[in-house]
Amino acid sequence: MADTGLLEALLRLLEKVDGGIDSQDVAADLGVDHQLIVGAVKSLQALGEVISAEQKSSKRWELTGEGREIAEQGSHEARVFNAIPDEGLPQNELMKMPSGKVGFSKAMSNKWIRLDKAHEGGPRVFKTVETIEDTVRDKLQLVQKGLSAKLEDKEKNELKKRKLLSEVTVKSYWITKGSSFSTTITKQETELTPEMIASGSWKEKKFKPYNFEAMGVAPDCGHLHPLMKVRTQFRQIFLEMGFTEMPTNNFIESSFWNFDSLFQPQQHPARDQHDTFFISDPALAHEFPQDYLERVKQVHSEGGYGSQGYKYDWKIEEAQKNLLRTHTTAVSARMLYKLAQQKFTPVKYFSIDRVFRNETLDATHLAEFHQIEGVVADYGLTLGNLMGILHQFFTKLGLKKWVEVGNSGVFRPEMLLPMGLPEGVSVIAWGLSLERPTMIKYGINNIRELVGHKVNLQMVYDSPICRLDS
Amino acid sequence: MPTVSVKRDLLFEALGQKYTDEEFDELCFEFGLELDEITSEKEILIREQGDEKAEGASDVVLYKIDVPANRYDLLCLEGLVRGLQVFKEKLEAPRYKRVSPADGGEPQRLVITEETASVRPHAVAAVLRNITFTQERYESFIELQEKLHQNICRKRTLVAIGTHDLDTISGPFTYTAKPPGEIRFKPLNQSKEYTATELMSLYKTDSHLRHYLHIIENEPLYPIIYDSNGIVLSMPPIINGDHSKISLNTKNIFIECTATDLTKAKTTLDMVVTMFSEYCEEPFTVEGAEVVYPDGRLCVYPELAYRTETLSGDFINKRVGINESAESIAQLLTRMCLRSEVSGEGDLIQVEIPPTRADVIHACDIMEDAAIAYGFNNIVRSTPRTYTIANQLPLNKLTELLRQDLAAAGFTEALTFALCSEEDIADKLRKNIAETRAVHISNPKTTEFQVARTCLLPGLLKTLAANRKMPLPLKLFEISDVVLKDETKDVGARNNRRLCAVYYNKSPGFEVIHGLLDRVMQLLDVKPGRNQGYHIQAAEDSTFFPGRCAEIFSCGKSIGHLGVLHPDVISRFELTMPCSAIDIDIEPFL
């Protein structure tokens, strides 16, 4: 904030004029440096509508360093003239003066002095006139006072040639009265302080306006991962629909639960080394519900439960092979088997967890991803029920084209009956990946930008909250 | 899901009707198929190999149709047309019939010797008599075999098909197995004879056949079929002999399928003969062939078995969620090539499953066909009445709550892979892999998938390394599962839910990580203290800088570590700043 006295002086000047004034003129009027006036203009602008100021630029003549010296002390020739007493001065002494050389030749050509080379004791300089008129100094003083307009262009150019004047571009403000013009200044406060609140002084104070165009300061905080935010929403949807969460914290699964229990034949291509990660250590599972395993073996190799079966040589060795589960349906199978060991009650289950595929990787496929799965087991469920519940689920997601992102179906009796579930019980289920809808939702094309260590943390910092239905 | 490629004009000609692309797409959808793509050979070549290679290629319009994985009867134009015509009730499903040779002749015979037992023990055979090929029919016949090989035959591992010009060979045929050095014949489309050993090296570079060599390569005996004059018909599952190859002019075809799975062999043979008997002099009849087993048993193939299932209209209605009369359901099923009649007993329906529908193995498959014919879009959607109370898994509930508060404490959540390299969890952390209790993967395609992670730290450090350009400090956390070997579990391994956090800055910030521990314990309502509370105690751990590591105890039990990472660990993860970390098991807090 510039000094209040200067501000008020400026305002008083402005009060007297119609229209406006130039800041350069204000500087000249008040006899202060222009930069101070510029500061004062800015301070006044910050006060609101006291003044308005428009920046402009103009050309103006200014004294050089040497020009200023001459304006103060007179021209070199005048200084030489004034230094000579009536009895004259030896030339060599005159030449020792700072202005000696230049002043001597100028004063000679002005015929103000003469040189007596033959004087006894060496060459000596004498005045030839009584008084002189130092026009150079007069002209420079005019310019110094801002009255350069009184000089003719020819005169100015000559002084410019002598490096006493220079022409410069000056920036200045055209200052006019603002809508709340006043000649007194109320100092503006930047912030409300506890003292102001305590004393009530805030009532009298004016506050400096905020710049609402600027961004705020980013809060110092942590962030949740966007895929996990979507996972939270999917959990929420299932919970809202009355689905209980399954324990999917077992990435290592036996082929038995991952494939055989689901009535997937042992020659199925999904069980190929190219599609599934098998485990070398611990290579085999060693514990199965034995009578259930026998029933699974039977339904694969001979049929039963109304089924023809696949009629092949089912091998326990194949079922024992450990793997990284390829779907969370392995857990659904374990849960349904467990359910079948009790008196049947209807259930709705869900899970969202990692599954693994030994696939070729590309922009949308990784070796591991999250599978979302919903399962309903009850008497008398129909295909119409499956379609109905899918519709409700995907409506909550805000996804219209759900066929594109998921799979659904009714579990086969060859899977359910060997578990011991009652004959009339149907189990409907559906699944989809967590990554796919998230990528669609957030417009991410490369899955590596979302999942894994190559994630861009800035993306994590910047990601919005997840509201699936909006 | 296999894709069948058919020429559009041929398809429409066979259907006796022209469709617009949209109409045909709609028809496919109604029938449970999907018109995947409309293209041409030229278009495919341009896409795959560029304009130059495509020059002169055919621009006949091709329909690529996705067929359900087990509908082998729709893998060729003939089957597709038959299925659609029956569906549209323009045609009654044909009855396939096995017949004896005309004029009371002896049936063809294939004798299996016991040597085959060790390598490929099963074989079935049949004869198509007086067939008339055209260029298109011939191509379709070859293409169907290829499709079957890729699908039901599981790339020839389960079944391999050989088709021969019967007029060039004479039975009885012998299916045996011999050492590769003793097998010698002129294979299909070659100009000279090779031994089986030579063939295996010849085909090493064959873009098509090299994929099948592994099936018998390491066997001491290779399967081989001879005719009565010692002419080689085929060396399954690799190649046929050149002598008996079929051509456009072939009239009588001997078909053999050798297999490791007899059920699949019978189905495959049924598919080939039901599809192409259409072009026999007497359509849809197939001449049986005898197969004699090493134990003397004699079977006649193809089986072409029809089976009848009886189910009630009520069953279909209740499972689908519709309300149709038994008669109307029978009609729906008949349109799906499952000839059905109302038996007159209540609402019971007798459904005949033809040999072409090997995929129908249970009443639920019949139900599904009824739903397709009824139209999925015509089924009324309804909400199940199943009333249940939802429960969260306590471990996931705790995880969700902690995640929120860790973010509130200024840490950012990372999401890293559960699979990694051995190096990540051992060498880079200055640990011995043998001591990690890691689960090892037997068939990783790259080192990125050698093991399941045993700790979360490597993933977080890799995340830091990928984000070195971000302003410091970097504060990351993850709450997720690691996998550890555990003999007490049925599969010998278990997951363990862990919380890991790192602080990466110009100074190690042990106090920051220590403060995070205090905060987590506060959230878990565990007070500082030696017995019922938590405390930390100086410990040595090779991952951490000596003297800068402590073990964390809660209620007297060790739950993890915290400390400043060892400089070697930092360098090995391509980091340059000091870093402190905490890693704890959260399962004790359930």
Side-chain angles (χ1 to χ4, degrees), chain A residues 23 36 48 58 81 136 151 155 172 194 233 246 249 267 283 293 299 352 358 363 381 398 400 419 430 449:
Chain A
S23 56
L36 282 175
S58 56
F81 178 84
V136 173
L151 297 181
E155 293 173 307
S172 62
Q233 289 312 304
M246 291 188 273
N249 53 333
Q267 313 85 349
L293 180 129
V299 77
I352 310 168
N358 196 6
L381 294 174
K400 295 263 154 31
M419 289 176 168
W430 72 99
E449 289 170 20

PDB file of all heavy atoms in Angstrom, chain A residues 23 36 48 58 81 136 151 155 172 194 233 246 249 267 283 293 299 352 358 363 381 398 400 419 430 449:
ATOM      1  N   SER A  23      -0.866  10.125 -15.385  1.00  0.00           N
ATOM      2  CA  SER A  23      -0.052   9.851 -14.210  1.00  0.00           C
ATOM      3  C   SER A  23       1.313  10.545 -14.287  1.00  0.00           C
ATOM      4  O   SER A  23       1.874  10.941 -13.276  1.00  0.00           O
ATOM      5  CB  SER A  23       0.121   8.340 -14.026  1.00  0.00           C
ATOM      6  OG  SER A  23       0.677   7.769 -15.186  1.00  0.00           O
ATOM      7  N   LEU A  36       6.247   5.930  -8.179  1.00  0.00           N
ATOM      8  CA  LEU A  36       5.449   6.067  -6.959  1.00  0.00           C
ATOM      9  C   LEU A  36       3.986   6.313  -7.295  1.00  0.00           C
ATOM     10  O   LEU A  36       3.073   5.797  -6.646  1.00  0.00           O
ATOM     11  CB  LEU A  36       5.975   7.221  -6.100  1.00  0.00           C
ATOM     12  CG  LEU A  36       7.242   6.915  -5.279  1.00  0.00           C
ATOM     13  CD1 LEU A  36       7.736   8.171  -4.567  1.00  0.00           C
ATOM     14  CD2 LEU A  36       6.957   5.812  -4.271  1.00  0.00           C
ATOM     15  N   GLY A  48     -11.389  -0.620  -4.988  1.00  0.00           N
ATOM     16  CA  GLY A  48     -12.724  -0.700  -5.574  1.00  0.00           C
ATOM     17  C   GLY A  48     -12.881   0.379  -6.622  1.00  0.00           C
ATOM     18  O   GLY A  48     -11.997   0.595  -7.434  1.00  0.00           O
ATOM     19  N   SER A  58       3.186   6.741 -24.351  1.00  0.00           N
ATOM     20  CA  SER A  58       3.456   7.906 -25.211  1.00  0.00           C
ATOM     21  C   SER A  58       4.962   8.092 -25.322  1.00  0.00           C
ATOM     22  O   SER A  58       5.723   7.559 -24.513  1.00  0.00           O
ATOM     23  CB  SER A  58       2.825   9.156 -24.606  1.00  0.00           C
ATOM     24  OG  SER A  58       3.313   9.326 -23.288  1.00  0.00           O
ATOM     25  N   PHE A  81      33.886  29.336 -19.499  1.00  0.00           N
ATOM     26  CA  PHE A  81      33.828  30.811 -19.514  1.00  0.00           C
ATOM     27  C   PHE A  81      33.874  31.381 -18.100  1.00  0.00           C
ATOM     28  O   PHE A  81      34.664  32.268 -17.781  1.00  0.00           O
ATOM     29  CB  PHE A  81      32.570  31.265 -20.264  1.00  0.00           C
ATOM     30  CG  PHE A  81      32.394  32.754 -20.286  1.00  0.00           C
ATOM     31  CD1 PHE A  81      33.052  33.531 -21.273  1.00  0.00           C
ATOM     32  CD2 PHE A  81      31.618  33.422 -19.326  1.00  0.00           C
ATOM     33  CE1 PHE A  81      32.894  34.904 -21.282  1.00  0.00           C
ATOM     34  CE2 PHE A  81      31.471  34.784 -19.348  1.00  0.00           C
ATOM     35  CZ  PHE A  81      32.100  35.537 -20.323  1.00  0.00           C
ATOM     36  N   VAL A 136      22.083  26.293 -24.119  1.00  0.00           N
ATOM     37  CA  VAL A 136      21.994  24.817 -24.017  1.00  0.00           C
ATOM     38  C   VAL A 136      21.361  24.442 -22.678  1.00  0.00           C
ATOM     39  O   VAL A 136      20.427  23.639 -22.609  1.00  0.00           O
ATOM     40  CB  VAL A 136      23.394  24.193 -24.153  1.00  0.00           C
ATOM     41  CG1 VAL A 136      23.331  22.693 -23.869  1.00  0.00           C
ATOM     42  CG2 VAL A 136      23.936  24.432 -25.541  1.00  0.00           C
ATOM     43  N   LEU A 151      10.448  23.579 -27.438  1.00  0.00           N
ATOM     44  CA  LEU A 151      11.626  23.546 -28.326  1.00  0.00           C
ATOM     45  C   LEU A 151      11.214  23.109 -29.711  1.00  0.00           C
ATOM     46  O   LEU A 151      10.265  22.330 -29.871  1.00  0.00           O
ATOM     47  CB  LEU A 151      12.670  22.570 -27.769  1.00  0.00           C
ATOM     48  CG  LEU A 151      13.267  22.899 -26.407  1.00  0.00           C
ATOM     49  CD1 LEU A 151      14.298  21.831 -26.033  1.00  0.00           C
ATOM     50  CD2 LEU A 151      13.919  24.271 -26.428  1.00  0.00           C
ATOM     51  N   GLU A 155      16.071  21.795 -32.734  1.00  0.00           N
ATOM     52  CA  GLU A 155      16.848  21.988 -31.505  1.00  0.00           C
ATOM     53  C   GLU A 155      16.956  20.678 -30.712  1.00  0.00           C
ATOM     54  O   GLU A 155      18.027  20.328 -30.221  1.00  0.00           O
ATOM     55  CB  GLU A 155      16.164  23.052 -30.635  1.00  0.00           C
ATOM     56  CG  GLU A 155      16.202  24.430 -31.238  1.00  0.00           C
ATOM     57  CD  GLU A 155      15.369  25.434 -30.437  1.00  0.00           C
ATOM     58  OE1 GLU A 155      14.166  25.126 -30.199  1.00  0.00           O
ATOM     59  OE2 GLU A 155      15.909  26.476 -30.078  1.00  0.00           O
ATOM     60  N   SER A 172       2.070   5.232 -18.999  1.00  0.00           N
ATOM     61  CA  SER A 172       1.432   6.008 -17.948  1.00  0.00           C
ATOM     62  C   SER A 172      -0.023   5.598 -17.845  1.00  0.00           C
ATOM     63  O   SER A 172      -0.498   4.758 -18.623  1.00  0.00           O
ATOM     64  CB  SER A 172       1.527   7.493 -18.271  1.00  0.00           C
ATOM     65  OG  SER A 172       0.830   7.760 -19.472  1.00  0.00           O
ATOM     66  N   PRO A 194      -9.144 -12.262  14.521  1.00  0.00           N
ATOM     67  CA  PRO A 194      -9.844 -12.477  15.802  1.00  0.00           C
ATOM     68  C   PRO A 194     -10.043 -11.155  16.545  1.00  0.00           C
ATOM     69  O   PRO A 194     -11.086 -10.956  17.181  1.00  0.00           O
ATOM     70  CB  PRO A 194      -8.896 -13.379  16.590  1.00  0.00           C
ATOM     71  CG  PRO A 194      -8.021 -14.012  15.578  1.00  0.00           C
ATOM     72  CD  PRO A 194      -7.921 -13.081  14.421  1.00  0.00           C
ATOM     73  N   GLN A 233     -18.908 -49.138  -4.600  1.00  0.00           N
ATOM     74  CA  GLN A 233     -20.277 -48.899  -5.077  1.00  0.00           C
ATOM     75  C   GLN A 233     -20.979 -50.196  -5.448  1.00  0.00           C
ATOM     76  O   GLN A 233     -22.170 -50.372  -5.181  1.00  0.00           O
ATOM     77  CB  GLN A 233     -20.259 -47.937  -6.275  1.00  0.00           C
ATOM     78  CG  GLN A 233     -19.907 -46.518  -5.896  1.00  0.00           C
ATOM     79  CD  GLN A 233     -20.701 -46.024  -4.704  1.00  0.00           C
ATOM     80  OE1 GLN A 233     -21.924 -46.037  -4.719  1.00  0.00           O
ATOM     81  NE2 GLN A 233     -20.011 -45.625  -3.656  1.00  0.00           N
ATOM     82  N   MET A 246     -19.629 -63.217  -0.052  1.00  0.00           N
ATOM     83  CA  MET A 246     -18.977 -64.523   0.095  1.00  0.00           C
ATOM     84  C   MET A 246     -17.504 -64.336   0.457  1.00  0.00           C
ATOM     85  O   MET A 246     -16.885 -63.351   0.076  1.00  0.00           O
ATOM     86  CB  MET A 246     -19.064 -65.295  -1.227  1.00  0.00           C
ATOM     87  CG  MET A 246     -20.465 -65.741  -1.584  1.00  0.00           C
ATOM     88  SD  MET A 246     -20.483 -66.832  -3.017  1.00  0.00           S
ATOM     89  CE  MET A 246     -20.578 -65.657  -4.367  1.00  0.00           C
ATOM     90  N   ASN A 249     -11.464 -64.809  -0.106  1.00  0.00           N
ATOM     91  CA  ASN A 249     -10.042 -64.636   0.153  1.00  0.00           C
ATOM     92  C   ASN A 249      -9.290 -65.962   0.081  1.00  0.00           C
ATOM     93  O   ASN A 249      -8.658 -66.399   1.030  1.00  0.00           O
ATOM     94  CB  ASN A 249      -9.820 -63.934   1.500  1.00  0.00           C
ATOM     95  CG  ASN A 249     -10.547 -64.622   2.631  1.00  0.00           C
ATOM     96  OD1 ASN A 249     -11.567 -65.269   2.417  1.00  0.00           O
ATOM     97  ND2 ASN A 249     -10.017 -64.496   3.829  1.00  0.00           N
ATOM     98  N   GLN A 267     -11.541 -82.262 -20.089  1.00  0.00           N
ATOM     99  CA  GLN A 267     -10.856 -81.908 -21.345  1.00  0.00           C
ATOM    100  C   GLN A 267     -11.218 -80.504 -21.822  1.00  0.00           C
ATOM    101  O   GLN A 267     -10.855 -80.110 -22.930  1.00  0.00           O
ATOM    102  CB  GLN A 267     -11.245 -82.880 -22.482  1.00  0.00           C
ATOM    103  CG  GLN A 267     -11.220 -84.334 -22.161  1.00  0.00           C
ATOM    104  CD  GLN A 267     -12.522 -84.794 -21.514  1.00  0.00           C
ATOM    105  OE1 GLN A 267     -13.356 -83.994 -21.121  1.00  0.00           O
ATOM    106  NE2 GLN A 267     -12.687 -86.105 -21.383  1.00  0.00           N
ATOM    107  N   ALA A 283       1.497 -78.135  -5.379  1.00  0.00           N
ATOM    108  CA  ALA A 283       0.934 -78.549  -6.661  1.00  0.00           C
ATOM    109  C   ALA A 283      -0.469 -79.158  -6.545  1.00  0.00           C
ATOM    110  O   ALA A 283      -1.292 -78.977  -7.425  1.00  0.00           O
ATOM    111  CB  ALA A 283       1.876 -79.549  -7.326  1.00  0.00           C
ATOM    112  N   LEU A 293     -17.174 -85.806  -3.773  1.00  0.00           N
ATOM    113  CA  LEU A 293     -16.243 -86.023  -4.873  1.00  0.00           C
ATOM    114  C   LEU A 293     -16.665 -87.245  -5.708  1.00  0.00           C
ATOM    115  O   LEU A 293     -16.642 -87.214  -6.940  1.00  0.00           O
ATOM    116  CB  LEU A 293     -14.829 -86.219  -4.309  1.00  0.00           C
ATOM    117  CG  LEU A 293     -13.727 -86.455  -5.329  1.00  0.00           C
ATOM    118  CD1 LEU A 293     -12.578 -85.507  -5.083  1.00  0.00           C
ATOM    119  CD2 LEU A 293     -13.210 -87.881  -5.297  1.00  0.00           C
ATOM    120  N   VAL A 299     -21.216 -88.120 -12.006  1.00  0.00           N
ATOM    121  CA  VAL A 299     -22.037 -87.342 -12.940  1.00  0.00           C
ATOM    122  C   VAL A 299     -21.220 -86.984 -14.186  1.00  0.00           C
ATOM    123  O   VAL A 299     -21.758 -86.897 -15.288  1.00  0.00           O
ATOM    124  CB  VAL A 299     -22.664 -86.106 -12.248  1.00  0.00           C
ATOM    125  CG1 VAL A 299     -21.655 -84.981 -12.061  1.00  0.00           C
ATOM    126  CG2 VAL A 299     -23.887 -85.612 -13.018  1.00  0.00           C
ATOM    127  N   ILE A 352     -16.857 -59.791  -4.995  1.00  0.00           N
ATOM    128  CA  ILE A 352     -16.068 -58.997  -5.946  1.00  0.00           C
ATOM    129  C   ILE A 352     -14.616 -59.247  -5.551  1.00  0.00           C
ATOM    130  O   ILE A 352     -14.183 -58.806  -4.487  1.00  0.00           O
ATOM    131  CB  ILE A 352     -16.356 -57.481  -5.833  1.00  0.00           C
ATOM    132  CG1 ILE A 352     -17.846 -57.205  -5.866  1.00  0.00           C
ATOM    133  CG2 ILE A 352     -15.616 -56.716  -6.937  1.00  0.00           C
ATOM    134  CD1 ILE A 352     -18.223 -55.777  -5.481  1.00  0.00           C
ATOM    135  N   ASN A 358      -4.265 -67.035 -17.591  1.00  0.00           N
ATOM    136  CA  ASN A 358      -2.949 -67.071 -18.244  1.00  0.00           C
ATOM    137  C   ASN A 358      -3.119 -66.674 -19.702  1.00  0.00           C
ATOM    138  O   ASN A 358      -2.789 -67.427 -20.610  1.00  0.00           O
ATOM    139  CB  ASN A 358      -2.371 -68.485 -18.129  1.00  0.00           C
ATOM    140  CG  ASN A 358      -0.889 -68.530 -18.428  1.00  0.00           C
ATOM    141  OD1 ASN A 358      -0.254 -67.493 -18.620  1.00  0.00           O
ATOM    142  ND2 ASN A 358      -0.331 -69.718 -18.506  1.00  0.00           N
ATOM    143  N   ALA A 363      -4.436 -54.253 -24.358  1.00  0.00           N
ATOM    144  CA  ALA A 363      -4.879 -52.999 -23.721  1.00  0.00           C
ATOM    145  C   ALA A 363      -6.075 -53.192 -22.798  1.00  0.00           C
ATOM    146  O   ALA A 363      -6.301 -52.398 -21.898  1.00  0.00           O
ATOM    147  CB  ALA A 363      -5.203 -51.961 -24.785  1.00  0.00           C
ATOM    148  N   LEU A 381     -36.994 -70.719  -9.088  1.00  0.00           N
ATOM    149  CA  LEU A 381     -36.531 -69.537  -9.822  1.00  0.00           C
ATOM    150  C   LEU A 381     -36.639 -69.802 -11.334  1.00  0.00           C
ATOM    151  O   LEU A 381     -36.400 -70.908 -11.798  1.00  0.00           O
ATOM    152  CB  LEU A 381     -35.080 -69.211  -9.466  1.00  0.00           C
ATOM    153  CG  LEU A 381     -34.836 -68.764  -8.013  1.00  0.00           C
ATOM    154  CD1 LEU A 381     -33.339 -68.615  -7.757  1.00  0.00           C
ATOM    155  CD2 LEU A 381     -35.561 -67.451  -7.738  1.00  0.00           C
ATOM    156  N   GLY A 398     -26.746 -47.940 -13.781  1.00  0.00           N
ATOM    157  CA  GLY A 398     -26.879 -46.907 -14.800  1.00  0.00           C
ATOM    158  C   GLY A 398     -26.347 -47.373 -16.135  1.00  0.00           C
ATOM    159  O   GLY A 398     -25.959 -46.572 -16.979  1.00  0.00           O
ATOM    160  N   LYS A 400     -27.194 -49.309 -19.602  1.00  0.00           N
ATOM    161  CA  LYS A 400     -28.329 -49.791 -20.381  1.00  0.00           C
ATOM    162  C   LYS A 400     -27.954 -51.064 -21.133  1.00  0.00           C
ATOM    163  O   LYS A 400     -28.702 -52.013 -21.190  1.00  0.00           O
ATOM    164  CB  LYS A 400     -28.786 -48.713 -21.370  1.00  0.00           C
ATOM    165  CG  LYS A 400     -29.334 -47.481 -20.658  1.00  0.00           C
ATOM    166  CD  LYS A 400     -30.851 -47.540 -20.583  1.00  0.00           C
ATOM    167  CE  LYS A 400     -31.450 -46.770 -19.432  1.00  0.00           C
ATOM    168  NZ  LYS A 400     -30.777 -45.591 -18.957  1.00  0.00           N
ATOM    169  N   MET A 419     -24.249 -81.839  -5.102  1.00  0.00           N
ATOM    170  CA  MET A 419     -23.926 -81.121  -3.868  1.00  0.00           C
ATOM    171  C   MET A 419     -24.893 -81.490  -2.756  1.00  0.00           C
ATOM    172  O   MET A 419     -24.575 -81.339  -1.578  1.00  0.00           O
ATOM    173  CB  MET A 419     -24.028 -79.607  -4.094  1.00  0.00           C
ATOM    174  CG  MET A 419     -22.922 -79.050  -4.956  1.00  0.00           C
ATOM    175  SD  MET A 419     -23.205 -77.296  -5.237  1.00  0.00           S
ATOM    176  CE  MET A 419     -21.611 -76.852  -5.948  1.00  0.00           C
ATOM    177  N   TRP A 430     -24.933 -64.418 -12.196  1.00  0.00           N
ATOM    178  CA  TRP A 430     -24.368 -63.608 -13.255  1.00  0.00           C
ATOM    179  C   TRP A 430     -23.022 -63.064 -12.823  1.00  0.00           C
ATOM    180  O   TRP A 430     -22.714 -63.037 -11.627  1.00  0.00           O
ATOM    181  CB  TRP A 430     -25.305 -62.472 -13.661  1.00  0.00           C
ATOM    182  CG  TRP A 430     -25.436 -61.359 -12.687  1.00  0.00           C
ATOM    183  CD1 TRP A 430     -24.799 -60.167 -12.732  1.00  0.00           C
ATOM    184  CD2 TRP A 430     -26.266 -61.312 -11.516  1.00  0.00           C
ATOM    185  NE1 TRP A 430     -25.171 -59.383 -11.675  1.00  0.00           N
ATOM    186  CE2 TRP A 430     -26.070 -60.055 -10.906  1.00  0.00           C
ATOM    187  CE3 TRP A 430     -27.141 -62.216 -10.927  1.00  0.00           C
ATOM    188  CZ2 TRP A 430     -26.716 -59.685  -9.741  1.00  0.00           C
ATOM    189  CZ3 TRP A 430     -27.786 -61.840  -9.758  1.00  0.00           C
ATOM    190  CH2 TRP A 430     -27.587 -60.593  -9.184  1.00  0.00           C
ATOM    191  N   GLU A 449      -3.380 -48.194 -17.242  1.00  0.00           N
ATOM    192  CA  GLU A 449      -3.481 -46.868 -16.625  1.00  0.00           C
ATOM    193  C   GLU A 449      -4.341 -46.921 -15.378  1.00  0.00           C
ATOM    194  O   GLU A 449      -4.376 -45.997 -14.584  1.00  0.00           O
ATOM    195  CB  GLU A 449      -4.100 -45.872 -17.619  1.00  0.00           C
ATOM    196  CG  GLU A 449      -3.166 -45.529 -18.750  1.00  0.00           C
ATOM    197  CD  GLU A 449      -3.871 -44.733 -19.836  1.00  0.00           C
ATOM    198  OE1 GLU A 449      -4.936 -44.145 -19.557  1.00  0.00           O
ATOM    199  OE2 GLU A 449      -3.338 -44.720 -20.951  1.00  0.00           O
TER     200      GLU A 449
END
